[in-house]
Amino acid sequence: MTMTDTAAAFFDTIETGKGWAACAPFCTPGATFSCQSDALAEIGTIEAYAGWMEGLLKLAPDGRYEMKAFAADEARATVLGFAVFHGTHTAEGGPVPPTGRSVAADYVYAMTFDGPKIKHMTKIWNDAQSMRALGWT
């Protein structure tokens, strides 16, 4: 698989809440994660983020992504995926009881590779806007 193929398969796997076991084959051991957001401030590995996404999709079982753009920068061993996450908080759990409110959140994943696998992912996302839309703040 090419770097772009791997990134696309990983993107779909993590965004559909399949968890770390399904995401691990696409990543190096200990692959790191970063996001400049309060909601994800304590998450430092892709493994932990995969668990967070799995949990989010339990709160918003209709959660899905809409891919807007996907691009590879071979010279920098990085693939960017820009999407919109759509979901409605209808299930128990999370910071408050189900609100029935929906979100359409823009975000970008910047996936950096070491050889054929992802070694780091940065998520670019406005968590405060998403939390307000869902009625969590």
Side-chain angles (χ1 to χ4, degrees):
M1 284 186 10
T2 68
M3 183 174 73
T4 303
D5 293 338
T6 298
F10 168 80
F11 194 106
D12 185 70
T13 301
I14 202 160
E15 284 300 293
T16 54
K18 292 187 173 75
W20 176 243
C23 292
F26 302 109
C27 300
T28 61
T32 56
F33 174 86
S34 64
C35 182
Q36 293 179 343
S37 71
D38 290 338
L40 299 172
E42 301 300 317
I43 294 180
T45 65
I46 295 176
E47 178 177 4
Y49 179 68
W52 187 87
M53 280 301 299
E54 191 174 11
L56 176 64
L57 288 168
K58 289 177 182 169
L59 300 175
D62 69 337
R64 66 203 177 284
Y65 70 93
E66 174 188 1
M67 186 62 70
K68 295 294 189 174
F70 210 75
D73 182 339
E74 297 284 341
R76 291 169 187 82
T78 299
V79 177
L80 304 174
F82 163 45
V84 179
F85 177 85
H86 300 273
T88 305
H89 182 198
T90 57
E92 291 295 329
V96 299
T99 63
R101 293 177 60 177
S102 298
V103 67
D106 296 335
Y107 64 101
V108 175
Y109 286 166
M111 298 161 277
T112 305
F113 281 72
D114 181 7
K117 296 190 176 199
I118 299 166
K119 72 174 181 177
H120 178 80
M121 183 172 79
T122 299
K123 181 174 184 171
I124 303 159
W125 169 55
N126 184 339
D127 67 327
Q129 185 175 9
S130 294
M131 299 303 162
R132 280 192 304 275
L134 289 167
W136 293 0
T137 59

